[in-house]
Amino acid sequence: MGRRQQLKPYVFILMPFDEAFNDTYESGIKLACKAAGVVCERVDEQSFDETILQRIFSQIRKADAIVADMSGRNPNVFYEVGYAHALQKRVILLTRDAADIPFDLKHHQHIVYEGKSYILKDRLTKKLKWCLETPVQGVGFQADRPIIRRITRILEQVAKTVATKSSLGPLLENVLEEMMEILDAEVCS
């Protein structure tokens, strides 16, 4: 059984839901995330059963980092950024105009992109790459996150296999292989 590809870091995007931000997201944020080697999503790209606020909170908890566009001083984005900060997530603040960053957040670095997607793409790509290379204990892009994601993925596989009553042999082989690698063991039983 071949080794699965490593999961990429996950970045959740917080921004106003307005057509005026579509280019910012598509040509700036998404392209920067792709260039940095991370997966990004907004809540409107997902399917889910819970309320939108429950989903946003869930995705903030799950994310390795948050990218938040503070342009226009959207109260929902501010509220969600506060939640991410309370969880000690690494939050990358963006804005078209520095005046949109309130006093309480001015001490945090932020990317001012002046409404130009190419500026945003370049600056955000650099920041995301720096975040990947500079893990902070207890904050997004942690050094141990890949292990946690791998263990979570194994447990999800086990749950799906048991639910479908598929053959457990190949699954158990995969679990042993992954655990041996995680534990840096030559033998595992």
Side-chain angles (χ1 to χ4, degrees):
M1 182 177 291
R3 230 181 125 220
R4 270 195 338 262
Q5 187 178 11
Q6 238 355 41
L7 293 175
K8 291 182 178 183
Y10 174 64
V11 175
F12 188 59
I13 310 302
L14 303 174
M15 63 189 309
F17 291 111
D18 185 321
E19 283 186 29
F21 288 91
N22 287 347
D23 185 59
T24 298
Y25 180 59
E26 295 294 331
S27 302
I29 297 170
K30 269 182 120 169
L31 293 179
C33 288
K34 183 177 181 180
V38 302
V39 174
C40 72
E41 287 182 303
R42 292 189 314 197
V43 74
D44 64 327
E45 297 176 308
Q46 302 175 339
S47 298
F48 51 90
D49 288 326
E50 67 263 64
T51 69
I52 192 163
L53 193 54
Q54 288 171 328
R55 182 61 175 201
I56 289 169
F57 286 166
S58 168
Q59 295 307 104
I60 290 171
R61 284 190 304 271
K62 174 182 166 184
D64 296 298
I66 306 299
V67 171
D69 194 326
M70 309 299 277
S71 299
R73 292 184 169 233
N74 182 292
N76 294 336
V77 174
F78 279 32
Y79 182 72
E80 295 153 2
V81 165
Y83 181 72
H85 278 146
L87 294 177
Q88 297 184 340
K89 293 290 182 172
R90 184 174 259 170
V91 179
I92 300 170
L93 302 176
L94 315 175
T95 185
R96 292 177 176 175
D97 181 356
D100 284 337
I101 302 291
F103 173 79
D104 291 357
L105 295 176
K106 287 235 187 260
H107 65 284
H108 290 274
Q109 271 192 336
H110 46 276
I111 296 171
V112 179
Y113 62 94
E114 303 163 5
K116 298 175 181 152
S117 295
Y118 68 93
I119 291 174
L120 174 57
K121 179 190 173 284
D122 291 345
R123 292 179 182 171
L124 183 56
T125 299
K126 287 177 189 169
K127 182 68 173 182
L128 288 167
K129 286 181 177 179
W130 178 85
C131 288
L132 285 168
E133 295 166 2
T134 315
V136 176
Q137 193 61 24
V139 180
F141 292 139
Q142 300 171 47
D144 61 345
R145 284 296 279 183
I147 292 172
I148 293 168
R149 279 196 305 270
R150 288 169 66 188
I151 291 171
T152 301
R153 183 68 129 242
I154 290 169
L155 294 174
E156 288 171 355
Q157 269 187 295
V158 170
K160 286 178 187 174
T161 302
V162 170
T164 60
K165 297 182 183 174
S166 298
S167 172
L168 292 177
L171 174 66
L172 293 175
E173 184 180 316
N174 189 17
V175 169
L176 283 174
E177 182 181 303
E178 289 288 336
M179 293 309 295
M180 284 173 59
E181 187 173 329
I182 289 169
L183 298 172
D184 194 26
E186 293 181 25
V187 178
C188 191
S189 62

